[in-house]
Amino acid sequence: MRGTRFGIGVDPEDGLLSQGDQGYALTWMDAKYGEWIVTPRRGKAVEINALWYNALCLLAEWVEFRLEDKEKSRHLKTCAEQTQRSFNRRFWNANLGCLYDVIDGEAGDDVAVAQSKSLLSRFLIRF
């Protein structure tokens, strides 16, 4: 899957969405004041990837049952399965018992914890 502006794209290694160009605040949690990015979250944000997984699942079902395109649906289901496995493996921080906020960010994996996002993201990822 090809990406778009602002460094948004799927990492072919794990199927997770990555985002972030220098100087832009792209997720709903980012804050920017003038040119200062107060809460930089470049990398793979937890809530974006939970929503990405669900979008893949819903699209796969829609393509199969509305468009009757079984081949494309299989491809989307395979992408969703890879995303789910990667999400569960990469975002879970076993030491703290919560999800990382951002992985593969500028400073590595961000251990900042936002409980509401962690709960939402775990709810969105089907086990």
Side-chain angles (χ1 to χ4, degrees):
M1 293 181 208
R2 71 173 207 258
T4 186
R5 299 177 355 180
F6 307 113
I8 300 169
V10 175
D11 182 337
E13 295 296 315
D14 58 18
L16 298 171
L17 272 183
S18 185
Q19 59 78 29
D21 272 352
Q22 191 72 27
Y24 291 94
L26 297 176
T27 75
W28 70 281
M29 287 290 295
D30 294 357
K32 183 176 180 180
Y33 180 76
E35 295 302 311
W36 177 38
I37 305 294
V38 180
T39 54
R41 295 179 74 231
R42 287 187 291 278
K44 298 170 184 168
V46 64
E47 75 281 3
I48 301 300
N49 279 285
L51 292 168
W52 169 240
Y53 167 74
N54 278 284
L56 286 170
C57 290
L58 292 171
L59 184 58
E61 289 177 22
W62 184 79
V63 165
E64 182 175 354
F65 296 110
R66 294 290 185 190
L67 299 182
E68 298 180 359
D69 188 337
K70 302 248 187 245
E71 183 178 332
K72 186 169 292 252
S73 177
R74 272 192 302 278
H75 172 71
L76 289 165
K77 287 177 182 177
T78 299
C79 292
E81 289 166 2
Q82 178 190 25
T83 300
Q84 180 188 36
R85 282 190 310 274
S86 296
F87 184 99
N88 290 331
R89 180 175 42 83
R90 298 284 320 280
F91 277 101
W92 184 247
N93 181 334
N95 292 331
L96 295 177
C98 64
L99 297 169
Y100 286 104
D101 182 51
V102 175
I103 60 170
D104 297 344
E106 296 173 80
D109 298 343
D110 186 350
V111 295
V113 178
Q115 187 175 13
S116 61
K117 285 191 308 184
S118 288
L119 290 173
L120 169 68
S121 297
R122 291 299 275 187
F123 173 74
L124 290 174
I125 294 294
R126 301 174 191 171
F127 290 97

